[in-house]
Every structure is written in C-alpha cells, then in structure tokens.
C-alpha cells in the first residue's frame, strides 16, 4: 500500500518525458517527430481494428500487451466505423508501398493509427508502439504511470525478407515453453524466422512416427549428463502455431548426412558398418554420418522429411550438410543432390549450410553462410548458378561465441563477439563475389553445447540478437553504432521489468540497474557470481521509491 502510494506520488512529481520517436530497435526507415503531437493513453481508450480475423488477432495481442501494466480495460472493437477520439486504430490498407511487412505509425494528440497492408505489418507496428511506451509497460502487474507516446509519424519496412535466429535444441534440449519465450524475443525485434536445429550427434528431438526410436532412443541424452527430451507432434504443432501467431515462420533442420550419431544409436542399419554406436555426450563434430551408399538411408531421409514437411506450414526445410568430414566430396555431393530432390518433391525449398554449395542447383535453393573469411569461391559459384544466401558469419552472428574472455559460457573458435562486432558488418557486401541481390537476409545461430537453461539462452541472445535484427530490418542509411548503442541501452530496464536475463555489456550506456539482472547461474572463474541470480518474471516491477518508471 505504502509502496503504491509512493509510486503514485513519484509519477505525479516527475512525469517521465516520452521516448523519442526514433528510439526504436531496429531503427525505422523514416521518422518524422511532431513535438506537439504526444498522445496520452487513457483508461477509457478503445482499440479499433479492421474487420479481418488476422488483424483482429493483432489487436488482441496489443491489448494483451498493454493491459497488465496499465490496468486499463482496452476493449477491442472490430469495426471500421468512427469511434471516439483517444484510441488506437489498426487499419489494413491497400498501400502497396508498405509491402508484405511494412507499416505506418501515426501518433497525434487525438489518437494512434497503425496502417499496414498485412497483419504482419500491423504486428511489427505494434512492436514499435510497445517500445515507445515507458519501460514499465513490460510490468506484469499494474504500475502508476503516464502512458505517453511521442507524437509524429513512422514509415517502416524491412530491408531483407529473411531475418532469423537459430536455436540448437539437440546439444541441450529445451522444452516447448522455453522455445515459445525465445519466439517472443524474436517478435520484439521484428525477426520473422526461427530455425530449429532439431537433430545432432547428441540428440534427436522430434517424434517421427515411421521411425519411432529416433526420438525415444536417439532423444534420450544430451551433452554431458544433461537430460534428453524430444517434441511430440503435438508439441511441435504448438510451436508452429505460436510462431505463426507472431508472424514467424519456423524452419526445421534435420542435419544430414553428418551430425547423425543420435539417429545411428536408434537405427544401426543406417550406419556405414550397420552397427549402432553408443550415445555421444561430448562436443566434438564431424565423426558420424548415415551411409550415403545405402538405399535404406534414402528411405529414412524421405520418411523423415516427409513427416516434417507434413507438420510444418512454412516453405523451407533445412537439411544441414555441415561438417560431414568422413564422407568423400563426390559421394557427399551425390547425397545432397538426392536429398535436395526429395525436398523439391515435397513441394518445399531447400536450405543447407554453405557446405552444400558444390551440389547441383535446384529451384529456390538457399545456402546459409557460417564461415569467417568473407571470401569463398565455391559459395560464390553456387550463387552464380542461382542459389541465394542467408548470412550467419561465424565471426559476427554466432551467438554462442563469448562476448569477452571472461564470459562464463560459450565458445571462441570464431573469435569474441561483443555487441559492436555483432552490429558492425554489412550483409550486402560481406561475401566477395556475391551480389547484394543474392542475399535474402541474416540469421543469428545459438549453438548450445554450453548453454543449458533459458536464462543462459537469454544471456547469450541479449543484447546481441537486436544487433542482427537491425542489420536485417533497417536500411543501411540508418546504420550507426553510436545511435544503436544508445537506443539499445534503453532496453535494459524493459528486459529487467519483464524478468528477461541479459548481459550488461560494458559497451552500452546502461542506466543503473532497476533490479538484479538475471544471468547465468555459473560463477565466473574467480568464483564470484558474475551477475545476479535469475529473478522470476513475477517479481515486483522495478520501481524504486522516488523514481518514476521510465526515468530509470
Ligand atoms: C560449428 S556452424 C557447427 C556446429 C557447432 C558450432 C559451434 C555449423 C554449421 N556447425 O555443429 O555447434 O560450430 O560454434
């Protein structure tokens, strides 16, 4: 009670200045502030939306975002009829210039309007709106606050159609609720692809009806003595649906022909020597493969990819293809050719790590670059033959790399990746001999050999994932490290309020922590906890007596 009164008094005494209209991550394409147009969300505001089911769903998501912290009812009216001023309108328009994902946001004293050609565009506009409200909007419980939005207009469209992150659920298994929370993080930063690395030497994580032991036997373990696990078909469908509701397409990866020890433990008939190996719990790579000379292998590939395709609404199937060191080059190319034809036969487009480059071209073929050199004639040649590229350069986009030498988890084989290194590169010019038009976008992979909990996932993702998101979304003309680090630092209080772990990277001008910053449970090498222990999302909002939220 006393605390609530204190909060109220603080808010009255020190009304927070609204955010600046351009303080959004990823940076919008065009921003026109209007200092006289600030909008104050009031208790009686209505959310009005075009009468289209997908748009109405976005309005429901906006209401669900705003209700907990504001405590306002915010009813949703699916009507295009005029409503009283003071509300938020989500409007589907036929403005072709906004494209498949763009939106226009207009904020004035009378109300707020988000217009887009698609529900995805409206959804991205809602993410922008969320960032323009005070950080306390992330609170799970009501906060006394002036819910002010800065006046003006934003016109915003993505630079690239593919903006993704990858989660390795094979080295360590992460349950459905962890994956859903990662999807939420992607959605905040306007990412639209979640690549799930579903199979590897240490675990097979998806139930396949025609080869049931893949999951029950192959999914039993993980790295070290960590528990295994796998997604049932219902689990997987739940992930697909949750992602689709957030305008994110899931790209499942079945890594072939290498990284298959877990499959071989379940079905020794797929192994070159027909002997099932023991489970593997280490972190070496490149030793396992399914027998490319056996017809049984292609039955397996067709059955697995067929079941995955049937469960997956998205257009892409990722066939891995990395580090099959023991398969001779010619044999490997033949295997990839045949697997690509299986994918095409399922009506899907194939994606593979850039090692698949030497195989034949097929329609819609996409290579995912994970090298560290910026120069690879074999990949450039595959692009000349028609392949397109997703860029995940190991030395910029790999979120399993450590930030700094003392980062308690992660690798450093591709170097240390601090936030600036994640941010300071240009997808359009990154690879020698690859024209800008061949680049579909960017993706940040998180391999999980050393990542074991949700808090550790978040610690590695934040604050670097927004750097990759900005490269994927924002026009190159907005690229500016000083602007980015200042805008991004404002997300610290938002993550803290939402109970999301992150790394307080010393490169960013954070304000004082509003509450203990959740971080990995592992101690630093010195034995001191590196940062504070995780807090649950239901903790008190980060309001310090005498400080209005949003001013922190
Ligand atoms: C290389 S990147 C791998 C993965 C490892 C990763 C660790 C790629 C396609 N293969 O198997 O997990 O390095 O950083």
């Amino acid at each position: 009670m006393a605390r609530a009164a204190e909060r109220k008094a603080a808010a009255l005494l020190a009304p927070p200045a609204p955010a600046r209209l351009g303080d959004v991550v990823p940076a919008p394409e065009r921003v026109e502030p209007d200092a006289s147009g600030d909008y104050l969300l009031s208790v009686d505001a209505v959310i009005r939306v075009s009468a289209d089911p997908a748009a109405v769903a976005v309005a429901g998501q906006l209401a669900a975002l705003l209700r907990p912290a504001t405590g306002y009812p915010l009813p949703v009216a699916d009507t295009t009829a005029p409503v009283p001023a003071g509300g938020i309108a989500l409007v589907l328009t036929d403005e072709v210039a906004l494209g498949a994902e763009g939106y226009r946001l207009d904020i004035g004293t009378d109300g707020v309007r988000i217009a887009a050609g698609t529900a995805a565009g409206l959804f991205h506009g809602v993410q922008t709106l969320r960032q323009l409200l005070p950080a306390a909007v992330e609170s799970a419980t009501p906060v006394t606050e002036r819910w002010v939005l800065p006046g003006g207009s934003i016109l915003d469209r993505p630079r690239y159609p593919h903006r993704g992150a990858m989660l390795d659920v094979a080295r360590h298994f992460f349950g459905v609720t962890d994956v859903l929370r990662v999807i939420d993080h992607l959605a905040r930063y306007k990412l639209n692809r979640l690549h799930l690395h579903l199979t590897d030497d240490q675990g097979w994580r998806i139930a396949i009806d025609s080869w049931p032991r893949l999951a029950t036997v192959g999914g039993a373990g993980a790295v070290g003595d960590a528990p295994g696990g796998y997604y049932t078909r219902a689990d997987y469908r739940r992930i697909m649906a949750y992602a689709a509701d957030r305008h994110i397409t899931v790209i499942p990866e079945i890594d072939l022909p290498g990284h298959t020890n877990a499959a071989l433990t379940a079905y020794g008939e797929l192994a070159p020597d027909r002997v099932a190996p023991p489970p593997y719990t280490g972190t070496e790579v490149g030793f396992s493969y399914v027998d490319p000379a056996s017809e049984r292998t292609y039955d397996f590939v067709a059955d697995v990819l067929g079941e995955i395709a049937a469960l997956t609404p998205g257009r892409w199937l990722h066939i891995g293809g990395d580090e099959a060191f023991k398969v001779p080059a010619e044999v490997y190319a033949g295997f990839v050719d045949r697997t690509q034809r299986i994918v095409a036969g399922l009506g899907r487009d194939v994606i593979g790590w850039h090692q698949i480059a030497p195989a034949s071209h097929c329609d819609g073929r996409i290579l995912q670059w994970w090298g560290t050199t910026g120069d690879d004639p074999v990949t450039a040649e595959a692009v000349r033959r028609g392949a397109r590229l997703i860029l995940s350069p190991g030395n910029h986009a790999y979120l399993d790399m450590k930030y700094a030498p003392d980062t308690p988890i992660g690798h450093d084989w591709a170097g240390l990746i601090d936030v600036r290194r994640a941010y300071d590169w240009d997808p359009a010019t990154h690879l020698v001999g690859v024209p800008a038009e061949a680049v579909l976008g960017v993706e940040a992979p998180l391999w999980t050999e050393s990542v074991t909990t949700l808090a550790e996932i978040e610690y590695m993702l934040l604050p670097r994932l927004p750097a990759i998101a900005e490269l994927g979304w924002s026009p190159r003309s907005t690229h500016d490290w000083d602007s980015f680090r200042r805008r991004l630092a404002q997300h610290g209080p938002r993550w803290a309020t939402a109970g999301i772990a992150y790394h307080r990277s010393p490169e960013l001008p954070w304000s004082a922590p509003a509450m203990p910053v959740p971080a990995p449970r592992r101690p630093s090498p010195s034995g001191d906890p590196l940062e504070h222990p995780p807090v649950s999302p239901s903790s008190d909002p980060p309001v310090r007596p005498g400080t209005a939220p949003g001013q922190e």
Side-chain angles (χ1 to χ4, degrees):
M1 273 309 280
R3 191 144 183 208
E6 229 165 341
R7 278 180 209 158
K8 209 168 207 164
L12 286 175
L13 285 173
R20 296 203 307 218
L21 189 65
D23 283 359
V24 176
V25 179
E29 181 177 321
R30 197 163 355 125
V31 179
E32 290 169 24
D34 171 5
S36 65
D38 290 358
Y39 170 74
L40 178 67
L41 186 73
S42 61
V43 65
D44 55 358
V46 173
I47 297 173
R48 180 167 57 101
V49 58
S50 299
D52 166 274
V56 171
V58 177
Q61 289 166 320
L62 172 61
L65 274 178
L66 301 181
R67 281 176 191 147
T70 61
Y72 298 167
L74 299 170
V76 173
D78 62 341
T79 167
T80 47
V83 294
I88 301 175
L90 306 185
V91 184
L92 281 180
T93 67
D94 51 10
E95 235 182 300
V96 277
L98 295 174
E101 294 188 281
Y103 66 92
R104 185 191 297 279
L105 169 64
D106 295 297
I107 301 171
T109 51
D110 287 353
V112 175
R113 183 175 187 269
I114 301 175
T118 61
L122 294 178
F123 184 81
H124 295 317
V126 163
Q127 303 313 313
T128 295
L129 188 79
R130 177 185 199 179
Q131 290 186 23
L132 292 173
L133 284 163
V137 74
E138 300 293 338
S139 170
T141 52
V143 176
T144 301
E145 176 63 282
R146 293 185 78 244
W147 302 107
V148 184
L149 285 159
S153 297
I154 287 178
L155 171 74
D156 205 9
R157 289 172 298 199
R159 182 183 187 191
Y160 291 112
H162 183 109
R163 307 177 306 280
M166 187 207 81
L167 181 64
D168 169 8
V169 295
R171 271 52 178 273
H172 281 96
F173 179 66
F174 298 92
V176 173
T177 51
D178 289 351
V179 176
L180 303 190
R181 183 148 150 139
V182 169
I183 290 172
D184 286 337
H185 301 338
L186 267 54
R188 259 178 207 269
Y189 296 103
K190 302 187 174 74
L191 295 169
N192 63 354
R193 306 275 187 264
L194 172 66
H195 167 183
L196 282 180
H197 182 76
L198 288 168
T199 67
D200 214 303
D201 291 318
Q202 299 85 348
W204 183 284
R205 306 301 182 200
I206 176 77
I208 300 293
D209 283 351
S210 52
W211 296 72
R213 293 204 307 276
L214 288 171
T216 56
V217 175
V223 166
D225 54 8
Y230 63 88
Y231 305 123
T232 64
R233 295 164 73 89
D235 290 338
Y236 185 79
R237 284 204 188 91
R238 206 174 139 211
I239 294 170
M240 300 293 115
Y242 192 88
D245 283 348
R246 284 146 190 83
H247 303 278
I248 290 171
T249 302
V250 175
I251 299 173
E253 177 186 351
I254 303 296
D255 203 347
L256 298 163
H259 288 272
T260 39
N261 194 76
L264 301 180
T265 63
Y267 292 100
E269 66 201 86
L270 300 172
D273 60 2
R274 309 287 182 267
V275 177
Y280 184 67
T281 59
T283 59
E284 297 299 317
V285 297
F287 56 89
S288 62
Y289 60 103
V290 290
D291 183 1
S294 160
E295 279 308 304
R296 194 72 186 126
T297 291
Y298 298 95
D299 293 342
F300 158 79
V301 172
D303 290 345
V304 168
L305 293 179
E307 287 196 33
I308 299 279
L311 282 175
T312 305
R315 166 170 155 200
W316 300 278
L317 296 181
H318 199 306
I319 60 167
D322 56 318
E323 298 171 324
F325 297 143
K326 296 211 170 154
V327 183
E330 291 276 294
V331 177
Y332 171 86
F335 175 89
V336 173
D337 278 357
R338 220 167 140 178
T339 303
Q340 289 184 160
R341 286 200 297 275
I342 291 171
V343 172
L346 293 165
R348 303 303 166 94
D349 288 344
V350 72
I351 307 182
W353 298 106
H354 72 264
Q355 276 73 21
I356 71 165
S360 312
H361 181 66
C362 62
D363 277 353
R365 184 175 195 245
I366 298 171
L367 309 183
Q368 183 168 8
W369 171 257
W370 62 279
T372 56
T373 59
D375 187 2
D376 182 46
V378 182
T379 297
E381 168 57 21
V383 169
R384 269 191 291 283
R385 286 187 283 129
R388 286 177 300 164
L389 276 189
I390 296 167
L391 289 179
S392 303
N395 52 338
H396 292 284
Y398 262 37
L399 300 184
D400 61 318
M401 293 303 127
K402 292 171 183 275
Y403 292 91
D406 64 355
T407 305
I409 53 174
H411 301 131
D412 60 6
W413 66 261
L416 301 170
I417 302 185
D418 58 16
V419 184
R420 183 160 196 168
R421 191 161 184 81
Y423 182 70
D424 260 345
W425 58 287
D426 183 2
T429 57
H430 187 72
L431 269 189
V432 174
V434 170
E437 310 80 70
V439 175
L440 286 174
V442 293
E443 190 177 299
L446 180 62
W447 301 99
T448 59
E449 286 94 335
S450 68
V451 177
T452 63
T453 63
L454 175 66
E456 290 177 352
I457 291 177
E458 293 178 336
Y459 179 86
M460 298 306 263
L461 250 48
L462 300 172
R464 292 181 293 192
L465 182 65
I468 304 300
E470 180 146 318
L471 292 180
W473 178 279
S474 305
R476 190 65 190 170
S477 57
T478 64
H479 191 86
D480 179 51
W481 166 246
D482 284 326
S483 158
F484 179 68
R485 66 193 278 275
R486 188 186 54 74
R487 284 180 284 118
L488 185 58
Q490 297 170 33
H491 292 228
R494 292 172 191 275
W495 298 328
T497 306
I500 301 168
Y502 67 102
H503 171 53
R504 280 179 77 85
S505 161
E507 309 155 84
L508 302 188
W510 307 105
S511 51
M515 67 194 307
V517 177
R521 53 172 170 64
R522 293 179 192 205
S524 65
S526 68
D528 298 329
L530 183 75
E531 287 167 61
H532 305 275
V535 292
S536 81
S538 61
S539 303
D540 257 350
V543 180
R544 278 173 287 132
T547 311
Q551 286 199 313
E552 291 165 343

